Amino acid sequence: MQLSTRHLLGIKDLNKEDISLILSTAAQFKEVLQRPVKKVPSLRDVTIVNLFYENSTRTRFSFELAEKRLSADTINFAASSSSAAKGETLLDTVQNILSMKVDMVVMRHSASGAPHFLAQHIPAAIINAGDGINEHPTQALLDAFSIQEKMRGLEGVKVAIIGDIMHSRVAQSNIYLLHKMGAKVTVCGPPTLIPKYIQQALGVQVSYNLQETLEWCDVANVLRIQLERQNQVLFSSLREYNIAYGISKKLLDSLQKEIVIMHPGPINRGVELDSDVADSKQSIILQQVENGVAVRMAVLYLLSGKN
Ligand code: CP
């Protein structure tokens, strides 16, 4: 089976069959990752560049590890230590790298649409590792994989996405994916951090009441307050945000049922999530990170044309 697209620019472009294929392929790679020898020869002779114009820990290491587990050759690019810092354009940089016979590009960029622009100009397969406030498709795929593992499926699961929805590419990709797979989505946060027309545009429920939202959901995917993307004051202080929308152990213990806590990372501990929640048995945050490697192996393998 093959994906209906030759790049992974966003979940918006995938259909339900594509998502199911990626998740089932990831399950096979997760089995490989449990073996003493965690490596397969699937991408031998494939060369991949990891092009990171924006900081990353989880996504960058996860892609690098996925590529190594698949036996691909990899090169890593960080904008701050490259000729981009001397003013070289994105297109010049990528065309120079591709002239060294690179087959696939994994790319993170602060500009929304940067990977879509590249896809119009270069022949290599492109995987979006997060573009501005637009999409973070592999995060949504690993989140879905983790929910599916915990809840035994996605159909009908009630997922609350809580926090800074306005600046979140993770929220957008999760909403597209969860709806395509039949899950129900509510976004919750202060009115200033939720786009005004999100209900009409993306078909989600909107709530400004954290307690009610937590009572409703099976899974709470808690997002980071993205201070680096905010150019105006959208809430009074981090302390007040924590009081109104932070998730504490006391709040979780007051609910009628035990819900699953997720976070894409990095966590602002004591702001959107208290430490005793992040580190509790209800949290699957580190399972999300573990699953990220298998999911990215699946995406790389399916887009490489080697399947
Ligand atoms: N979740 C995520 O994208 O984390 P990084 O920014 O560390 O890659």
Side-chain angles (χ1 to χ4, degrees):
M1 282 180 73
Q2 292 208 318
L3 295 176
S4 66
T5 165
R6 53 180 296 267
H7 305 288
L8 178 59
L9 302 179
I11 300 293
K12 196 175 185 179
D13 308 323
L14 300 182
N15 57 41
K16 190 174 176 177
E17 289 69 37
D18 291 329
I19 296 166
S20 298
L21 177 60
I22 294 170
L23 298 181
S24 60
T25 309
Q28 292 170 26
F29 282 125
K30 186 160 179 181
E31 269 179 43
V32 170
L33 295 175
Q34 313 303 319
R35 297 178 194 159
V37 179
K38 300 173 178 59
K39 207 162 171 156
V40 286
S42 313
L43 294 198
R44 209 162 45 198
D45 302 327
V46 174
T47 306
I48 304 171
V49 59
N50 298 308
L51 203 62
F52 278 71
Y53 278 84
E54 203 187 56
N55 294 345
S56 169
T57 298
R58 277 147 292 271
T59 312
R60 188 162 68 87
F61 286 128
S62 184
F63 269 112
E64 282 183 38
L65 205 50
E67 291 154 6
K68 287 180 168 58
R69 302 294 194 216
L70 290 166
S71 307
D73 293 323
T74 63
I75 50 173
N76 296 312
F77 168 98
S80 56
S81 57
S82 75
S83 291
K86 301 177 198 162
E88 189 168 41
T89 67
L90 171 63
L91 194 51
D92 278 342
T93 299
V94 175
Q95 278 174 336
N96 276 273
I97 292 171
L98 292 187
S99 70
M100 298 181 226
K101 309 284 178 247
V102 169
D103 305 296
M104 301 177 82
V105 178
V106 174
M107 181 188 183
R108 170 169 287 193
H109 204 286
S110 57
S112 299
H116 306 69
F117 166 78
L118 264 196
Q120 288 168 359
H121 290 92
I122 63 165
I126 296 170
I127 298 165
N128 181 1
D131 65 320
I133 59 168
N134 181 41
E135 281 223 43
H136 192 348
T138 57
Q139 180 68 46
L141 286 160
L142 75 88
D143 288 346
F145 187 93
S146 307
I147 295 171
Q148 188 172 265
E149 219 172 38
K150 192 79 188 165
M151 306 299 295
R152 303 187 185 283
L154 292 167
E155 181 83 42
V157 176
K158 293 186 225 163
V159 181
I161 305 177
I162 298 166
D164 185 356
I165 311 296
M166 180 84 84
H167 302 97
S168 178
R169 55 195 177 206
V170 174
Q172 177 133 294
S173 287
N174 262 275
I175 292 167
Y176 286 137
L177 189 152
L178 291 166
H179 279 164
K180 284 175 199 238
M181 302 309 283
K184 298 185 174 108
V185 183
T186 293
V187 295
C188 174
T192 49
L193 290 179
I194 297 185
K196 249 190 195 121
Y197 300 107
I198 193 166
Q199 190 157 7
Q200 295 92 317
L202 298 181
V204 290
Q205 294 303 310
V206 175
S207 167
Y208 305 119
N209 185 315
L210 180 62
Q211 174 101 32
E212 274 176 22
T213 304
L214 294 177
E215 294 284 5
W216 169 83
C217 72
D218 304 308
V219 177
N221 196 351
V222 186
L223 303 179
R224 183 172 70 91
I225 294 292
Q226 301 202 28
L227 294 168
E228 75 279 18
R229 292 194 208 279
Q230 298 191 15
N231 52 14
Q232 53 192 312
V233 179
L234 296 173
F235 51 90
S236 46
S237 70
L238 292 177
R239 186 171 147 65
E240 281 202 31
Y241 181 87
N242 176 253
I243 290 167
Y245 289 99
I247 300 188
S248 64
K249 186 80 173 56
K250 190 172 162 206
L251 180 53
L252 283 191
D253 289 345
S254 74
L255 304 176
Q256 302 295 314
K257 62 180 177 187
E258 190 167 290
I259 63 169
V260 176
I261 299 292
M262 300 173 68
H263 193 301
I267 305 169
N268 294 311
R269 285 176 182 259
V271 180
E272 67 266 5
L273 212 53
D274 286 357
S275 275
D276 52 3
V277 175
D279 304 329
S280 71
K281 65 177 177 47
Q282 281 172 259
S283 158
I284 59 163
I285 294 170
L286 292 180
Q287 283 102 302
Q288 289 173 259
V289 178
E290 181 188 343
N291 289 335
V293 179
V295 165
R296 289 175 175 121
M297 285 172 81
V299 168
L300 290 162
Y301 174 66
L302 291 167
L303 288 176
S304 70
K306 295 276 184 187
N307 57 318

